[in-house]
Amino acid sequence: MPDRIYTERKEASATQTELDSLVVNIELTLISIIQAVALTFLVEHSFDVLVGLQLSLWPYVVTGLLIILAFWSRSLIHTLTVIRWPLDLGHNFMYIACTLVEGVTFTQLTNTLHWYALNALFGLMILALLAFDLRMIRHRISDSAGPMGSKLYAIVEREQFLNIRFFMPATVVFNLLAMMAAWVWAAPFIEENGHVIIGLVQLALALGYLIYVMRFFVRIAPLIAKTRQEWRDDVPPRETKN
């Protein structure tokens, strides 16, 4: 009887591992495709800006690229740390919705008012996505009670709250203030290229956030590998016969 129970649990664990890998592959494929679509919009609307030497708009092109890299990097980290079977369709639908706004934002490289307004909307959607994903993180906390999993998800949850409470609200506020400046002081802000300073600040902030995300990944990468090993080893030890 113990042998039979062990075999059944081992088969269930193998099935779960296979399904986990399948969902991870789906997730990685999705985030790569949607950010490739966003990059297509950025490339298409950057051509005239770069070739035409519209130097005052170059910061927005670089910022757009950094946004894509940050979105892809954070999505990758989320996939590697949190995603398991079953597939969460709502989470993936929100990825697609965020990318829709992201792509439209890149069409407004030459319209400063629209650029900051859409970036504010994009920040709000990312904030909603992060809040939605808290539920997934808490599921992992409850079903990954091993020492490595507990350590990893304590870090991941704290970092998620840091984004929800600080990074994303600050991003939204920054873009709303820039949008208001473009609306109220249109002549000095746009016609006299006063927006370039704000654009450079936005670029610096985007670069700083991307570096932060990269360092965060390096910090938790060993824990990710050990936690996934705990998932695979989640089979009770075989009972010995007397």
Side-chain angles (χ1 to χ4, degrees):
M1 188 66 175
D3 285 342
R4 181 179 176 183
I5 293 174
Y6 172 80
T7 301
E8 289 176 351
R9 292 189 177 182
K10 186 174 181 180
E11 289 175 352
S13 180
T15 300
Q16 179 68 44
T17 299
E18 182 179 353
L19 290 172
D20 287 347
S21 297
L22 177 63
V23 171
V24 166
N25 287 335
I26 291 172
E27 191 90 1
L28 293 175
T29 300
L30 174 65
I31 62 178
S32 296
I33 290 174
I34 61 178
Q35 287 311 293
V37 171
L39 181 60
T40 300
F41 278 94
L42 181 63
V43 170
E44 180 180 351
H45 291 84
S46 298
F47 181 82
D48 290 339
V49 172
L50 297 176
V51 175
L53 297 179
Q54 301 179 51
L55 300 180
S56 65
L57 299 176
W58 282 21
Y60 300 114
V61 175
V62 179
T63 298
L65 179 60
L66 294 174
I67 288 172
I68 290 173
L69 295 176
F71 192 119
W72 182 83
S73 300
R74 281 212 61 90
S75 301
L76 177 66
I77 292 172
H78 180 81
T79 299
L80 295 177
T81 55
V82 177
I83 297 301
R84 295 190 76 179
W85 176 264
L87 183 67
D88 191 317
L89 292 178
H91 161 78
N92 289 295
F93 291 163
M94 292 187 71
Y95 269 172
I96 295 171
C98 288
T99 304
L100 171 64
V101 177
E102 183 186 16
V104 174
T105 301
F106 294 155
T107 69
Q108 301 301 305
L109 284 173
T110 59
N111 188 316
T112 306
L113 176 62
H114 292 172
W115 168 265
Y116 287 113
L118 287 167
N119 265 295
L121 176 59
F122 181 59
L124 286 172
M125 295 190 69
I126 295 296
L127 182 59
L129 174 63
L130 292 168
F132 182 87
D133 286 347
L134 270 176
R135 176 177 55 87
M136 302 176 70
I137 294 172
R138 286 166 179 163
H139 283 170
R140 294 292 81 81
I141 292 173
S142 64
D143 66 17
S144 302
M148 292 299 105
S150 298
K151 184 176 181 180
L152 173 64
Y153 292 113
I155 295 172
V156 168
E157 186 179 38
R158 284 198 304 270
E159 200 273 340
Q160 192 84 349
F161 275 117
L162 181 62
N163 278 275
I164 292 171
R165 294 170 177 170
F166 177 69
F167 287 134
M168 286 305 108
T171 297
V172 173
V173 170
F174 173 86
N175 283 286
L176 285 175
L177 291 175
M179 180 193 72
M180 292 174 61
W183 176 270
V184 175
W185 300 295
F189 193 80
I190 298 176
E191 296 172 11
E192 299 176 15
N193 290 329
H195 64 92
V196 175
I197 296 176
I198 304 299
L200 289 172
V201 171
Q202 185 186 40
L203 188 158
L205 293 174
L207 178 60
Y209 183 73
L210 179 60
I211 293 172
Y212 161 79
V213 172
M214 293 169 62
R215 294 181 66 181
F216 177 66
F217 177 71
V218 171
R219 175 188 174 194
I220 65 172
L223 291 175
I224 295 173
K226 293 176 181 177
T227 297
R228 289 195 168 268
Q229 184 62 48
E230 283 183 345
W231 294 351
R232 289 190 292 271
D233 293 342
D234 188 19
V235 180
R238 186 172 181 173
E239 296 184 17
T240 58
K241 296 181 179 179
N242 293 326

